[in-house]
Amino acid sequence: MGTSCALPDREVSMSESRAVPPLLSRMVAIGAAAAALLMPSSLTGPASAAPDAPAGSGAAAEPGYYLVTSADRQPAVLAHALERTGFDVLEGPMDHGVPVLADPAAVARLQQRGLSVQYTGPLYQPVSRSTRADTNTYYGGYHTTAGHEAHNTQVSTAHPDLVKLYTIGQSWLKTQGRGGHDIQALCITKIQQGDCELTNTGRKPKFTVMSQMHARELATGELSYRWIDHLVNNYGTNTDVTALMNSTELWVIPIANPDGVDIVASNSTRPVAQRKNAHDNGCTGTGRGVDLNRNSSYHWDVNQGTKCDETYPGTGAASEPETRGIQNFLATIYRDTKPAADFSAASKSTTGAFLTVHSYSQLDIYPYGWTNQLAPNNNDLKAIADAMARANHYDVVHGDGGLNYFAPGATDDWIYGQLGVPGYTIEVGPSSGSCGGFFPVYSCVNSFWQLNLPAYLAAAKAAAAPYPTGR
Ligand SMILES: [Zn+2]
């Protein structure tokens, strides 16, 4: 599954159904069991109000996760139809129904169509009142765009020997003179002559982590925040970190979609489920914007959605300033070692690695995501994903992952297909429970971090020589 996000990170394709791989079957079984446990007697909404719900907002007013089924349509067909009519169809196993994020009005519309709608859990978790005061955080501790920017400035100022901070592009609102943000990237290493320059001639291999391209995937930006702190705070004391920073440039783009994160954080206890950027295309609510993970210039696909859809790919390849900034940056720091043809292998001498972090589904995804055909460096690409999975115990998938969803125009495919750099997606977190979905309880970030730090390290270490076999 090229790049999922338990949502319409991928489009439903109408292609022939494929067998679900064993690993995925296991995931499906676990997910179904969890969903069954969570299912209350009411089929229309949460059985009781969230403990911390604002006065006057009954449980029925809260959005939640649902499984939608039809008596006469296969899930993949139903998913496609729902997405085309404005529903927020989530990526994920569909053998118990099409996962949908819906508010009560959307639930009513589904029921009016004669569809069966089963509630599986709330979008929002309770937020402790004591954690609401900090202006740079929201929803119990998640950092706003401004909070990340302050952090980036703080670490680069405090550690000039270890960190360089760059502006690599602008958000859509900034290009319009309507506020917005620069897109920031940090380079973290033990800085020697020639390190952390915006060139592809540096002597150290480069590993880049990018997060929160989909703004509502809250946990992912926090993992970058902790990755940055882990590196700068442990240089010289932790053997692994010291060796890595002596040998490798660790680049981080903590917030790839800053305008989107501003929208998400505009409600500190009930974040807005904005996935796309803030490109004002006349759509209301979270329909506004372009899906930046469908907007790359590699296998950009006009058929990924119309403008109000969650997977709307934009008016053309790299139509969005965020996409152009990120692509230009990556093409500047990495050497291009791959012929343009999709199935021509990247050189064995390639260095570098790239990781884009999304949520949720507990997956380690490797190229390609636009096709089920194996990438020409498949064995080496998969070996790195397997090393990540030994750390975080997520399922390793590529292509459509057996779910009939492809993700053309995604960043991980772009960096591999365009430059030959191995590109990965981690889908952090489970689909249900208080740590599930887009908006986990903030304390869940602790467990995500413990689980995924060694996966980040595995990918970072692979940057020195990612293709040992050349196959
Ligand atoms: Zn995502």
Side-chain angles (χ1 to χ4, degrees):
M1 330 195 344
T3 296
S4 26
C5 297
L7 323 78
D9 234 5
R10 11 207 40 257
E11 186 57 59
V12 178
S13 95
M14 306 296 282
S15 64
E16 179 187 1
S17 176
R18 291 177 179 83
V20 178
L23 279 174
L24 210 56
S25 303
R26 179 165 64 75
M27 182 181 74
V28 169
I30 293 167
L37 286 172
L38 281 165
M39 219 170 283
S41 53
S42 162
L43 296 186
T44 56
S48 61
D52 207 14
S57 80
E62 295 284 294
Y65 298 102
Y66 294 83
L67 290 173
V68 182
T69 51
S70 161
D72 55 1
R73 275 180 287 180
Q74 292 299 310
V77 175
L78 177 61
H80 186 79
L82 292 175
E83 194 159 76
R84 282 292 176 272
T85 47
F87 290 97
D88 194 349
V89 176
L90 309 178
E91 188 277 339
M94 288 196 286
D95 51 350
H96 294 276
V98 177
V100 171
L101 176 59
D103 62 14
V107 170
R109 283 194 290 135
L110 290 164
Q111 290 171 326
Q112 283 159 11
R113 295 178 175 206
L115 297 169
S116 170
V117 180
Q118 295 180 321
Y119 175 74
T120 60
L123 175 62
Y124 298 118
Q125 305 292 336
V127 180
S128 152
R129 292 183 191 283
S130 63
T131 57
R132 291 179 188 171
D134 186 338
T135 54
N136 277 341
T137 65
Y138 64 105
Y139 196 58
Y142 290 93
H143 289 88
T144 59
T145 299
H148 279 277
E149 290 168 345
H151 181 241
N152 294 344
T153 300
Q154 181 262 318
V155 294
S156 57
T157 303
H159 303 279
D161 55 327
L162 302 177
V163 182
K164 276 195 180 182
L165 175 61
Y166 287 98
T167 291
I168 62 168
Q170 295 188 331
S171 69
W172 186 85
L173 285 175
K174 181 139 189 178
T175 64
Q176 303 298 304
R178 293 167 55 183
H181 296 267
D182 290 330
I183 299 173
Q184 297 187 327
L186 301 95
C187 178
I188 304 173
T189 194
K190 176 58 182 173
I191 298 175
Q192 310 285 354
Q193 182 80 29
D195 288 351
C196 288
E197 299 297 330
L198 291 177
T199 70
N200 63 15
T201 56
R203 65 194 178 89
K204 292 177 179 172
K206 299 174 172 83
F207 173 65
T208 300
V209 170
M210 181 171 78
S211 49
Q212 236 165 334
M213 172 166 268
H214 288 148
R216 65 186 176 182
E217 297 166 12
L218 301 193
T220 68
E222 292 306 304
L223 294 181
S224 284
Y225 196 106
R226 293 183 191 207
W227 172 239
I228 293 164
D229 284 349
H230 181 74
L231 295 172
V232 300
N233 292 336
N234 289 297
Y235 181 77
T237 54
N238 176 300
T239 308
D240 252 14
V241 167
T242 305
L244 189 61
M245 288 174 63
N246 283 337
S247 65
T248 309
E249 291 181 9
L250 293 318
W251 290 81
V252 188
I253 306 170
I255 303 293
N257 178 7
D259 290 348
V261 173
D262 280 353
I263 295 171
V264 170
S266 63
N267 186 327
S268 69
T269 57
R270 296 289 184 272
V272 178
Q274 179 75 21
R275 166 186 170 95
K276 301 188 283 182
N277 73 355
H279 191 142
D280 193 354
N281 52 6
C283 300
T284 58
T286 58
R288 171 181 180 172
V290 171
D291 184 350
L292 298 176
N293 207 33
R294 293 294 183 284
N295 188 238
S296 91
S297 47
Y298 181 74
H299 279 272
W300 181 84
D301 177 10
V302 68
N303 294 316
Q304 286 300 295
T306 54
K307 67 178 184 176
C308 301
D309 291 345
E310 294 290 347
T311 52
Y312 175 52
T315 54
S319 60
E320 302 311 293
E322 293 91 345
T323 307
R324 292 194 298 275
I326 290 163
Q327 288 188 175
N328 289 341
F329 161 70
L330 294 171
T332 299
I333 67 165
Y334 288 106
R335 284 184 285 273
D336 180 358
T337 61
K338 186 179 175 307
D342 292 329
F343 297 99
S344 295
S347 161
K348 276 182 75 170
S349 67
T350 300
T351 64
F354 173 83
L355 171 63
T356 179
V357 186
H358 288 258
S359 70
Y360 49 93
S361 285
Q362 303 184 134
L363 299 172
D364 296 320
I365 304 171
Y366 67 99
Y368 284 123
W370 64 272
T371 175
N372 278 329
Q373 286 188 262
L374 298 184
N377 297 88
N378 181 73
N379 290 359
D380 288 331
L381 287 167
K382 182 174 184 299
I384 297 170
D386 287 341
M388 293 161 65
R390 282 193 290 276
N392 63 16
H393 309 294
Y394 291 172
D395 287 323
V396 173
V397 296
H398 74 102
D400 71 353
L403 296 177
N404 289 330
Y405 282 87
F406 289 99
T411 325
D412 48 1
D413 271 3
W414 176 85
I415 197 165
Y416 172 68
Q418 189 71 36
L419 300 177
V421 174
Y424 297 89
T425 296
I426 295 181
E427 294 279 0
V428 173
S431 60
S432 60
S434 63
C435 289
F438 298 121
F439 300 152
V441 171
Y442 183 68
S443 60
C444 299
V445 177
N446 296 331
S447 58
F448 296 158
W449 172 240
Q450 293 302 319
L451 198 60
N452 282 286
L453 168 60
Y456 283 33
L457 290 169
K461 288 173 184 170
Y467 302 140
T469 75
R471 289 180 292 113

